[in-house]
Amino acid sequence: MGPAPVVIAGAGPVGLATALLLARWRVPTVLLEAAPHRSAVGSKAICFQRDVLDILGRVGVAGAMVAEGVTWTTGRTYFREHELYSVTFPKAEVPPWINISQARVEELLGARVAAEPLVDLRYGCPVIGYREDDDGVDVLTRDGPVRGSHLVGADGPRSAVRRLAGIDFPGRSFEDLFLICDIKASLPFPSERRFYFDPPWNPGRQVLVHQCPDSVWRIDWQVPPGFDLATADLDGMVGRITGSLPYEIVWVTVYRFHSRVAASLGRGRVFLAGDAAHLFAPFGARGLNSGLQDAENLAWKLALVRRGAPDRLLDSYDAERRAAALVNLAVTAKTMEFLVPQTAAQWEWRRTVLERAVTDPGARLLIDSGKLAEPYWYVDSPLTTATGPVPEEPGAARPPVPGVICPDAPVRGGRLRERFGAGFVVLVGRPERVAEAAALGAGLGDVPVEVLALPDLGIEGAPLGEGAGPDSVHLVRPDGHLAAVLPSFSAEALGAALHRAIGR
Ligand SMILES: Cc1cc2nc3c(=O)[nH]c(=O)nc-3n(C[C@H](O)[C@H](O)[C@H](O)COP(=O)(O)OP(=O)(O)OC[C@H]3O[C@@H](n4cnc5c(N)ncnc54)[C@H](O)[C@@H]3O)c2cc1C
């Protein structure tokens, strides 16, 4: 009998990605899904960020996503009948984000899972309990127990795993309603995001229009309390955007938003990821993007602990990803104060900012229609060897310092970030240091450590920061975050940083 698998509850995008990421580490998984079959419909999450595309690249679906997805480079913001401003982003080889429906991404991930012998996906198999002991977990299903080394709850907002583990889910659910409508239409709009505040046809509320592939347009429409989809004049509403052009409604739903983060993302051998661990308002696209970052963070740590790294490495999952979730919660809560004010003072602020913005460019900077996330800076993580000053806060320009995701750079045959994911990577400035660094990496036992010399990659130091010179050493974690940046090569310092990065 082989080693016990990791058991994952939930084959949504986060569960599927976790299973595929673990398979890259040769870790078998049993993926238990409550639904009888995959039935992803509707766009749901539609915006996938560049850094998250790297994760999706590691599981083999980013290429198809980028090929099919829509990249908009201009965002326009309107207030009543005025266009307030537009922002245009430069076209890039690796786009800053792409629009593609979550349903399509789940389909792509599902196809990879179907072709992956290390993933045993069982539909119609809800997790209904678990028992943990010193060596593993018995995960209970109606078909009997499944034995695993660990259990990952990727079972969504109403997570059974979270409830069974007795983990609280504090936060708030809001009463405000949004109508999400995917329509198929040939609209004469260029590929732009359009944000309408208080349009004459939806006063006091907003409407957001995004393009998705295949001539599908996603409309997020804030609707009044008591809105009833069954009796609503949908054609009248959609016609405000399409005019007299024909369209077909592909998917429509009404939802409320929630702001919640689990009290802990791990308890014993059980971990929470994705919507089971956190729920954010969707403006800013932080829900699924951060869920996929959870999946990656957890997968390499589970894999290395199964190879002998200390359990402390898994403790860092909660430390790192809960901290990230709390920042996402704070940022999205601030956005929603602007979009959906809850107090008279917040209403007044919104009205003042929008009215001033018609003539005052300074006020336009105060409009908050959602902010895309920066991958969390793990500067305070127990795995990070901090050196030098700690940067101020996530959201500022990304410095190449320990804890922050490593900058990308063109290298011979591709991009630097494409070299990450299969283990630790040590980047040294001088080829003659490779053997010594590799010997230190070998001291970690069954933990893969690859040493790459910057000149061999075709990198001359600057992309890794002004301070990076021929003697500096960058230690990169499997998720692409810098674990340490050493100003000069020191066997002792690099050995210590490697041990720290695996929780020793
Ligand atoms: C209407 C709507 C619109 C959204 N729009 C956006 C958006 O614009 N931007 C954005 O970023 N996010 C958006 N989201 C959120 C996004 O869809 C989620 O963040 C994403 O689905 C989270 O993925 P997940 O895998 O963690 O959870 P889920 O997708 O919820 O998957 C969980 C899976 O677990 C299964 N399951 C449940 N219980 C059990 C059990 N006991 N045992 C086994 N399996 C179980 C479920 O059947 C499901 O397949 C939207 C969500 C909704 C509902």
Side-chain angles (χ1 to χ4, degrees):
M1 216 170 71
V6 169
V7 181
I8 302 170
V14 173
L16 291 165
T18 307
L20 289 168
L21 287 161
L22 282 165
R24 292 195 71 207
W25 291 93
R26 312 303 308 150
V27 174
T29 51
V30 176
L31 183 48
L32 302 172
E33 167 56 48
H37 48 76
R38 202 180 57 76
S39 65
V41 287
S43 49
K44 293 212 232 166
I46 51 163
C47 178
F48 292 81
Q49 290 185 242
R50 184 199 324 240
D51 301 301
V52 175
L53 286 173
D54 279 337
I55 300 174
L56 291 158
R58 284 174 204 134
V59 296
V61 299
M65 288 174 63
V66 173
E68 291 177 29
V70 171
T71 307
W72 51 271
T73 50
T74 298
R76 290 186 196 280
T77 301
Y78 301 84
F79 171 53
R80 297 185 185 145
E81 64 279 22
H82 311 279
E83 178 175 338
L84 293 182
Y85 61 93
S86 68
V87 196
T88 298
F89 306 90
K91 278 209 156 79
E93 191 188 331
V94 186
W97 57 77
I98 56 155
N99 282 5
I100 186 169
S101 80
Q102 174 177 333
R104 177 64 182 140
V105 176
E106 287 183 37
E107 194 179 0
L108 291 167
L109 290 169
R112 300 299 295 196
V113 161
E116 175 51 72
L118 285 171
V119 184
D120 174 1
L121 169 55
R122 303 181 193 173
Y123 281 106
C125 205
V127 169
I128 53 175
Y130 75 85
R131 275 190 301 265
E132 179 174 338
D133 55 50
D134 289 347
D135 303 318
V137 212
D138 286 312
V139 180
L140 309 181
T141 73
R142 287 193 293 256
D143 303 329
V146 180
R147 179 77 179 163
S149 66
H150 301 84
L151 169 62
V152 179
D155 49 349
R158 295 195 179 82
S159 171
V161 173
R162 189 181 64 228
R163 178 174 42 78
L164 292 164
I167 298 175
D168 286 342
F169 201 32
R172 200 170 159 196
S173 295
F174 291 76
E175 290 305 311
D176 307 83
L177 293 178
F178 284 81
L179 171 78
I180 299 186
C181 193
D182 289 348
I183 59 163
K184 197 165 177 126
S186 295
L187 299 183
F189 302 166
S191 187
E192 297 179 345
R193 183 197 83 150
R194 293 186 174 192
F195 206 116
Y196 299 91
F197 283 100
D198 300 13
W201 27 280
N202 199 22
R205 301 193 172 84
Q206 50 261 324
V207 176
L208 175 62
V209 184
H210 265 284
Q211 189 180 11
C212 290
D214 297 328
S215 303
V216 171
W217 297 81
R218 151 81 172 259
I219 309 170
D220 285 74
W221 195 303
Q222 194 190 358
V223 288
F227 176 85
D228 181 2
L229 190 54
T231 55
D233 174 18
L234 264 189
D235 284 329
M237 293 170 79
V238 175
R240 298 288 192 174
I241 291 156
T242 57
S244 57
L245 294 169
Y247 66 87
E248 174 198 342
I249 292 183
V250 181
W251 179 63
V252 62
T253 188
V254 176
Y255 81 101
R256 307 174 187 279
F257 64 93
H258 312 268
S259 293
R260 295 180 183 277
V261 173
S264 171
L265 269 54
R267 180 157 292 172
R269 292 177 170 273
V270 177
F271 300 91
L272 302 176
D275 276 17
H278 42 70
L279 289 175
F280 315 123
F283 294 89
R286 289 170 183 249
L288 183 47
N289 281 298
S290 70
L292 293 167
Q293 288 164 332
D294 294 343
E296 170 152 78
N297 191 296
L298 185 55
W300 70 264
K301 292 173 181 175
L302 281 170
L304 294 192
V305 165
R306 287 167 57 101
R307 290 178 185 211
D311 282 340
R312 242 195 331 271
L313 181 59
L314 277 170
D315 295 342
S316 73
Y317 173 69
D318 175 64
E320 294 186 345
R321 293 310 302 159
R322 193 162 180 280
L326 291 173
V327 167
N328 286 327
L329 190 79
V331 174
T332 49
K334 196 93 194 113
T335 297
M336 294 321 274
E337 276 180 18
F338 195 83
L339 295 185
V340 186
Q342 301 292 314
T343 65
Q346 290 169 4
W347 269 114
E348 182 56 19
W349 172 249
R350 171 190 159 113
R351 194 186 54 74
T352 307
V353 167
L354 288 170
E355 285 179 357
R356 267 183 47 205
V358 175
T359 51
D360 174 4
R364 293 169 196 163
L365 301 174
L366 302 173
I367 295 173
D368 186 347
S369 55
K371 296 186 171 79
L372 292 180
E374 162 74 5
Y376 190 74
W377 297 0
Y378 301 129
V379 290
D380 296 326
S381 166
L383 308 184
T384 302
T385 301
T387 41
V390 173
E392 274 176 24
E393 60 176 42
R398 185 183 293 174
V401 301
V404 177
I405 198 161
C406 185
D408 207 358
V411 298
R412 290 201 182 100
R415 294 186 294 117
L416 179 61
R417 293 250 202 103
E418 290 166 343
R419 307 298 291 262
F420 304 155
F424 285 90
V425 172
V426 182
L427 298 168
V428 293
R430 296 185 194 278
E432 56 271 27
R433 293 293 190 193
V434 170
E436 201 179 346
L440 288 165
L444 294 192
D446 201 12
V447 175
V449 180
E450 186 181 18
V451 185
L452 300 171
L454 295 181
D456 294 342
L457 291 167
I459 292 185
E460 293 305 330
L464 296 183
E466 292 306 320
D471 290 316
S472 53
V473 179
H474 291 72
L475 172 58
V476 186
R477 308 178 351 164
D479 54 16
H481 282 256
L482 291 162
V485 179
L486 309 176
S488 59
F489 190 94
S490 146
E492 197 186 342
L494 178 56
L498 279 162
H499 281 259
R500 177 180 268 271
I502 61 160
R504 271 195 197 141

